[in-house]
């Protein structure tokens, strides 16, 4: 069993209106030292596969086809093997 954490964010070249709105709110709170905020999506996925390479294949496919719009977004993920308990 593997636990995968997936982070999806806009590419640097894409305007992030939600991030800009949050940055504006943060500045109104008096935190002018914050220069930029980018919003994103976070997913936790449990995968039952035998090896990490198979998990990578599954996650790449799911991210490319469902979780991220690859034209506008980029993603990264972390794979962690979960100890099986008896």
């Amino acid at each position: 069993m593997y636990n995968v954490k997936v982070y999806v964010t806009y590419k640097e070249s894409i305007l992030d209106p939600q991030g800009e709105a949050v940055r504006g709110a943060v500045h109104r709170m008096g935190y002018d030292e914050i220069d930029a905020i980018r919003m994103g999506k976070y997913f936790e996925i449990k995968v039952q596969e035998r090896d990490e390479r198979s998990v990578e294949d599954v996650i790449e496919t799911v991210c490319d086809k469902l979780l991220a719009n690859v034209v506008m977004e980029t993603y990264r993920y972390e794979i962690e093997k979960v100890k099986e308990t008896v």
Side-chain angles (χ1 to χ4, degrees):
M1 174 78 72
Y2 291 85
N3 187 40
V4 183
K5 297 176 183 179
V6 179
Y7 305 88
V8 179
T9 55
Y10 282 120
K11 292 181 178 179
E12 287 296 321
S13 61
I14 302 295
L15 178 65
D16 181 0
Q18 285 181 304
E20 286 298 310
V22 172
R23 184 181 66 88
V26 167
H27 283 187
R28 287 190 295 281
M29 292 173 63
Y31 298 101
D32 294 328
E33 64 272 16
I34 295 179
D35 291 328
I37 296 177
R38 305 282 291 177
M39 297 288 288
K41 299 179 273 188
Y42 172 73
F43 302 90
E44 286 189 8
I45 304 170
K46 296 209 182 296
V47 183
Q48 293 185 21
E49 283 290 347
R50 291 186 175 160
D51 60 72
E52 193 167 320
R53 182 68 209 146
S54 297
V55 173
E56 287 179 11
D57 291 342
V58 168
I59 295 301
E60 289 281 338
T61 301
V62 169
C63 287
D64 285 341
K65 293 187 177 197
L66 180 66
L67 301 183
N69 176 345
V70 294
V71 173
M72 297 175 29
E73 296 172 317
T74 187
Y75 61 86
R76 67 181 174 84
Y77 53 87
E78 301 168 1
I79 298 174
E80 174 185 76
K81 186 166 179 67
V82 178
K83 293 182 181 179
E84 296 181 30
T85 57
V86 179

